[in-house]
């Protein structure tokens, strides 16, 4: 986003985990270009908005480790916080102008809420797979 002249102060990164928040705060503070990017937990972002949100879903697994029909226990063990639909609703509704979701779409598609959201974004041409710039 910064590459395309979006002000870093207009960007907020949301993560479900405080350890990732601390890690990202440290990384962003090392560069003047990213020092103004706000990082917060999804929980702490309730009631606030930002022009642009980057949501990190954090969890990932190689495709070979994914289950075709995962059990509830498998889902609890491998999805964690991102399976909490209330908290994900909070995360997905904080952006005023743009939302970027970073995650493993193969894993996310195992959960009905995420599967429906991914299908919607694909249908609207808003889904980029394996994107690295």
């Amino acid at each position: 986003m910064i590459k395309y002249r979006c002000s870093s102060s207009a960007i907020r990164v949301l993560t479900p985990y405080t350890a990732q928040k601390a890690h990202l705060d440290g990384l962003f503070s090392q560069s003047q270009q990213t020092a103004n990017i706000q990082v917060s937990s999804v929980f702490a972002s309730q009631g606030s908005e930002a022009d642009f949100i980057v949501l990190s879903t954090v969890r990932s697994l190689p495709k070979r480790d994914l289950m075709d029909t995962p059990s509830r226990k498998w889902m609890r063990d491998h999805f964690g916080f991102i399976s909490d639909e209330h908290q994900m609703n909070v995360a997905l509704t904080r952006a005023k102008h743009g939302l970027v979701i970073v995650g493993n779409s193969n894993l996310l598609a195992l959960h009905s809420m995420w599967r429906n959201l991914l299908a919607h974004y694909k249908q609207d041409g808003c889904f980029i797979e394996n994107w690295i710039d």
Side-chain angles (χ1 to χ4, degrees):
M1 285 188 229
I2 293 171
K3 179 179 174 180
Y4 296 101
R5 303 195 190 271
C6 176
S7 167
S8 63
S9 62
I11 302 169
R12 178 177 295 160
V13 177
L14 298 182
T15 173
Y17 300 104
T18 54
Q20 187 184 40
K21 178 199 176 312
H23 179 73
L24 292 173
D25 277 335
L27 285 176
F28 292 153
S29 68
Q30 294 174 15
S31 166
Q32 189 173 9
Q33 192 175 22
T34 58
N36 291 327
I37 294 176
Q38 300 173 37
V39 183
S40 64
S41 70
V42 173
F43 184 77
S45 74
Q46 291 188 55
S48 65
E49 293 179 323
D51 288 339
F52 299 96
I53 294 290
V54 177
L55 171 61
S56 170
T57 59
V58 185
R59 301 285 179 129
S60 190
L61 283 173
K63 199 170 187 175
R64 68 179 179 277
D65 292 345
L66 300 178
M67 308 275 298
D68 289 333
T69 358
S71 67
R72 284 180 181 248
K73 180 183 179 339
W74 190 93
M75 293 291 281
R76 269 193 317 272
D77 291 348
H78 294 89
F79 266 78
F81 192 79
I82 61 170
S83 66
D84 182 332
E85 293 184 18
H86 173 72
Q87 290 300 310
M88 288 304 98
N89 181 57
V90 169
L92 295 170
T93 57
R94 300 303 93 197
K96 292 184 203 174
H97 303 292
L99 170 68
V100 175
I101 301 170
V102 179
N104 179 332
S105 61
N106 294 315
L107 175 64
L108 292 173
L110 294 175
H111 187 281
S112 62
M113 179 201 73
W114 286 106
R115 182 173 45 255
N116 293 335
L117 187 64
L118 291 170
H120 173 75
Y121 286 151
K122 286 178 183 179
Q123 181 180 353
D124 285 355
C126 299
F127 180 85
I128 300 171
E129 195 161 17
N130 298 324
W131 176 64
I132 299 176
D133 188 356

